[in-house]
Amino acid sequence: MDRFTLKGGALHCEDVALQAIAREVGTPVYVYSAKMFREAAQAFRGGLVDAGVHDAHLAYAIKANPNIAVLKVLAAEGFGADVVSAGEMNRALAAGMPAADIVFSGVGKTRGELIAALDAGIGQFNLELEEEGEVLADLAAARGITAPAVLRVNPDVDAGTHAKISTGRKENKFGIPISEAVAMYARLAGRPGLDLKGVAIHIGSQLSDLAPLEAAYVRVGELVAELRAAGHTIARVDLGGGLGVPYKVGEVMPSAAAFGQMVARVTKEWGVTLMFEPGRRIAGSAGVLVTEVVWVKPGAVNPYIIVDAAMNDLARPALYDAWHDFQAVVPTGNRMIANIAGPVCETGDTFAMGREIDEVASGDLAVFRTAGAYGATMASTYNSRSLVPEVLVEDGRYAVVADRITPETILAAERVPDWL
Ligand code: LLP
């Protein structure tokens, strides 16, 4: 259920007016609905359970939105974490997620990170290459422990998403070619220090169609059968993340129910613990970026709405030509055709061109929708701008869950060497 709605003519998050947050915290600011995180988490689990998949392990892909308050909300929903750095692992642990519920993914885990994760006792390492498995086995054996691990395979399936967020084609950097998996599994499975439990895949993000996921899962099913035929005990299959969210009004994505039914159908005979790593599907719709219109600048074709949020705050449009709906906080009812851009000194700092939007004027507040995933977490301080703050709302209350980090704070961490 959408919890960013108009009440008395003004956009609210749950029962809190965005104007009130903007007044107290300033803009730009990310605002999240705690209820929408909870509901997305429950819907994802519900889709699986309703289809008969009862004991899946759900590891929220922290990279989508790693704010500790968000992690607390999801920990309370029984979610563990999919992490890709020691920093993310430490966040998951700090939020109270049990180490056993943490999965460590990523193609470039350093030896230091492998050690930190072994010491923390995390539940699963997703191996990306043979050498990583050898090193992990040796590190674990030297500590007298065994590292639980799975092999991430690359099924060479086109996820049908933006090239920069596709991960399951053979030319991508991720996973072990599925054709080499059986031989590599045999070499690694015998190593002391390693408890190889199964396989993992993740073919890409913002998938709007279940067909590529199903094709990849079918290949994994065939691989599980081959591995078993070779004498291995396969106890876990990690099916990754990737389910898309609607970014445009009216856009329809596969439902949790349809996803659950597809999973149940494809994995019926597998006899394994299934794992999932959803990120965007849990966090995407639960957040908006609130911004103020600084100027309305005449343009050659359409006016430029210059807002105080920029590509450093929300990088997705600049990076992936992504669309985020733009909505006035207090709509007049009139519409206009405009370009929307931020203050950063790059043409790429453009959120939309020639788009029909709510009419806005200087000083008005507006939001970019569906900014709960891959929003604040990808922010930078480019152009010596502040790191954007975050606010969590639940019912009628709200709290600042990440401060605005100002250029002064960042300047204070820089040093001029004494020879200058
Ligand atoms: N598991 C693995 C191994 C991943 O690499 C990812 C995302 C996920 C799970 C979560 O995928 P999701 O359910 O969120 O689609 N910054 C980009 C998205 C990058 C996704 C990277 N990997 C964007 O803003 O669209």
Side-chain angles (χ1 to χ4, degrees):
M1 176 177 167
D2 187 10
R3 296 192 180 270
F4 292 91
T5 54
L6 288 172
K7 293 182 180 172
L11 199 59
H12 282 57
C13 174
E14 303 195 15
D15 298 328
V16 176
L18 294 180
Q19 293 152 301
I21 295 174
R23 211 176 302 125
E24 189 192 318
V25 186
T27 55
V29 56
Y30 279 94
V31 177
Y32 308 132
S33 158
K35 281 210 164 50
M36 285 183 77
F37 287 114
R38 288 187 212 287
E39 289 162 355
Q42 289 162 8
F44 192 91
R45 189 188 297 283
L48 291 167
V49 169
D50 290 349
V53 180
H54 289 284
D55 51 358
H57 174 78
L58 303 180
Y60 166 63
I62 283 193
K63 62 173 82 70
N65 186 328
N67 184 278
I68 183 143
V70 171
L71 300 186
K72 276 270 182 203
V73 169
L74 295 173
E77 294 300 324
F79 273 57
D82 167 51
V83 305
V84 292
S85 68
E88 286 193 348
M89 180 184 78
N90 290 335
R91 280 176 173 275
L93 293 170
M97 289 170 166
D101 292 346
I102 297 177
V103 173
F104 203 149
S105 298
V107 72
K109 304 176 207 74
T110 65
R111 285 156 180 79
E113 287 177 322
L114 293 176
I115 291 169
L118 280 173
D119 289 346
I122 68 155
Q124 181 174 304
F125 292 84
N126 287 10
L127 301 176
E128 288 269 355
L129 71 165
E130 186 163 5
E131 192 183 357
E132 184 190 18
E134 294 164 358
V135 169
L136 179 65
D138 290 349
L139 289 169
R143 284 165 175 70
I145 55 177
T146 308
V150 300
L151 263 199
R152 175 171 177 185
V153 298
N154 183 325
D156 192 23
V157 166
D158 185 353
T161 187
H162 191 282
K164 287 188 184 169
I165 53 175
S166 166
T167 54
R169 303 198 63 176
K170 65 174 184 300
E171 61 270 28
N172 297 143
K173 67 178 174 179
F174 297 101
I176 289 148
I178 198 159
S179 55
E180 295 171 27
V182 173
M184 197 177 294
Y185 203 101
R187 291 195 295 272
L188 286 175
R191 289 187 86 98
L194 207 56
D195 179 12
L196 217 44
K197 291 176 177 294
V199 292
I201 53 159
H202 171 76
I203 62 167
S205 197
Q206 185 54 13
L207 273 60
S208 54
D209 184 0
L210 293 179
L213 280 174
E214 178 160 356
Y217 295 176
V218 166
R219 289 194 189 182
V220 168
E222 291 160 3
L223 175 63
V224 167
E226 284 178 58
L227 289 168
R228 284 195 173 134
H232 302 291
T233 303
I234 304 298
R236 293 186 190 176
V237 176
D238 181 341
L239 293 175
L243 266 193
V245 296
Y247 280 95
K248 288 183 189 172
V249 167
E251 205 177 355
V252 178
M253 288 289 150
S255 66
F259 178 71
Q261 284 156 18
M262 182 275 280
V263 167
R265 185 173 70 248
V266 176
T267 66
K268 198 166 49 217
E269 311 291 339
W270 290 9
V272 297
T273 299
L274 289 179
M275 311 180 57
F276 297 90
E277 303 169 351
R280 191 189 314 262
R281 191 57 176 246
I282 306 301
S285 302
V288 300
L289 174 59
V290 184
T291 187
E292 187 179 304
V293 177
V294 186
W295 308 107
V296 177
K297 180 182 175 183
V301 182
N302 296 308
Y304 271 95
I305 307 299
I306 310 289
V307 294
D308 68 357
M311 64 188 285
N312 71 296
D313 306 304
L314 178 61
R316 302 192 68 260
L319 271 178
Y320 321 112
D321 297 317
W323 175 294
H324 286 264
D325 275 341
F326 181 84
Q327 232 180 303
V329 167
V330 182
T332 62
N334 298 326
R335 307 279 285 171
M336 68 193 295
I337 307 282
N339 310 322
I340 310 167
V344 161
C345 294
E346 290 201 28
T347 301
D349 185 23
T350 301
F351 294 105
M353 290 298 285
R355 195 190 285 186
E356 188 191 317
I357 56 169
D358 287 339
E359 178 186 69
V360 286
S362 300
D364 286 354
L365 292 172
V367 297
F368 291 103
R369 294 293 307 259
T370 323
Y374 307 111
T377 182
M378 292 174 68
S380 77
T381 59
Y382 184 42
N383 276 207
S384 287
R385 291 169 51 84
S386 294
L387 211 51
V388 57
E390 298 164 86
V391 166
L392 184 71
V393 173
E394 183 139 42
D395 299 320
R397 32 178 199 185
Y398 69 91
V400 176
V401 293
D403 291 342
R404 188 182 307 282
I405 309 291
T406 66
E408 290 68 37
T409 304
I410 290 165
L411 189 56
E414 296 179 16
R415 305 279 172 264
V416 179
D418 58 10
W419 69 81
L420 289 180

